């Protein structure tokens, strides 16, 4: 099954429990690293995800900002109406696009280099069958500057913007840096230590985590990994119920008054728990909310700069 299906995971989880997350806690003056040639893209927050209102060439659309998918996700309706199909290098596909809650058929897959608003997208592309506007998304790791096609991107979480740098002024970036790599599905992963508390219990897990901007939770843990499951079951953990928009139970959650990730401290965090990620080998997913502090991603050298 693993060979037949191309597995994507998009975690758009809506929970009944909500806790305050580090809002406006960090300085967000990006002026020290912005160059006149940098491209600034405004984001909007909808259904707890981040979206870009943009256009591909001259066709307008809304794209969810992602990183936990392997390529640009479009649908057959958009592609059929797109005028210049020569910009896509596609082949017929019989693979599947999967989320935790749904599954769609991929009609075409391939590569493309496109003008998306003021930036360039260069990377894999997947066209889903039919009309699937809610799954249209763009992975940040393939977003390029229009002049040199380099991928140096800062996330301004508080002001909901991304800054696509023509070049990085590393003198302004401190040495608080972590490295990341990619799994075989093209998703960025970071090996790090996770520590969190839950009432009278504390948990420490060292492993690989997928950086997933489509994940609405700051952190999501995969209990199909034995070490994760054993660690949670061996402690007196209090679990909360997580539900989808239709009210159905889709998983569990943990309230963590204190959490440490990347060596950074977080307070009052909602951690999602699921056993539905059976094909995923990583310990879990790190959502965009983990990058509320000013951060720059160097997708050319696989570095993350906290500053």
């Amino acid at each position: 099954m693993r060979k037949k299906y191309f597995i994507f995971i998009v975690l758009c989880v809506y929970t009944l429990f909500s806790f305050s997350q580090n809002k406006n806690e960090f300085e967000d003056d990006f002026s020290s690293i912005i160059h006149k040639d940098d491209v600034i893209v405004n984001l909007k927050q909808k259904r707890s995800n981040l979206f870009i209102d943009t256009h591909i060439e001259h066709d307008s659309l809304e794209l969810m900002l992602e990183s936990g998918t392997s390529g640009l996700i479009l649908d057959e309706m958009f592609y059929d109406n797109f005028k210049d199909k020569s910009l896509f290098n596609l082949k017929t596909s019989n693979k599947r696009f999967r989320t935790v809650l749904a599954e769609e058929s991929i009609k075409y897959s391939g590569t493309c280099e496109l003008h998306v608003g003021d930036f360039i997208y260069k990377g894999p592309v997947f066209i889903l069958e039919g009309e699937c506007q809610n799954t249209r998304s763009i992975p940040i790791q393939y977003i390029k500057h229009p002049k040199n096609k380099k991928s140096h991107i800062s996330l301004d979480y508080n002001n909901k913007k991304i800054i696509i740098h023509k070049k990085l002024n590393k003198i302004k970036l401190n040495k608080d840096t972590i490295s990341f790599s990619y799994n075989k599905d093209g998703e960025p992963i970071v090996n790090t230590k996770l520590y969190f508390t839950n009432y009278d219990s504390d948990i420490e897990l060292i492993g690989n985590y997928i950086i997933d901007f489509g994940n609405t939770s700051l952190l999501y843990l995969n209990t199909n990994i034995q070490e994760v499951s054993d660690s949670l079951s061996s402690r007196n953990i209090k679990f909360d119920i997580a539900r989808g928009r239709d009210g159905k139970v889709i998983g569990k959650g943990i309230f963590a008054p204190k959490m440490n990730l990347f060596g950074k401290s977080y307070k009052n965090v909602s951690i999602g728990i699921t056993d539905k990620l059976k094909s995923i080998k990583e310990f879990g997913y790190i959502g965009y909310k983990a990058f509320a502090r000013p951060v720059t991603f160097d997708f050319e050298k696989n570095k993350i700069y906290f500053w």
Side-chain angles (χ1 to χ4, degrees), residues 106 156 189 218 221 227 245:
I106 299 174
D156 184 348
I189 58 173
L218 190 153
L221 291 177
E227 187 174 343
R245 282 173 285 177

Side-chain angles (χ1 to χ4, degrees), residues 1-7 183-185 278-282:
M1 297 294 287
R2 182 71 176 179
K3 293 180 180 179
K4 182 178 179 181
Y5 295 118
F6 207 140
I7 304 301
N183 63 18
K184 67 184 185 65
D185 290 329
K278 299 186 185 301
S279 63
I280 303 304
K281 305 304 180 184
E282 288 80 15

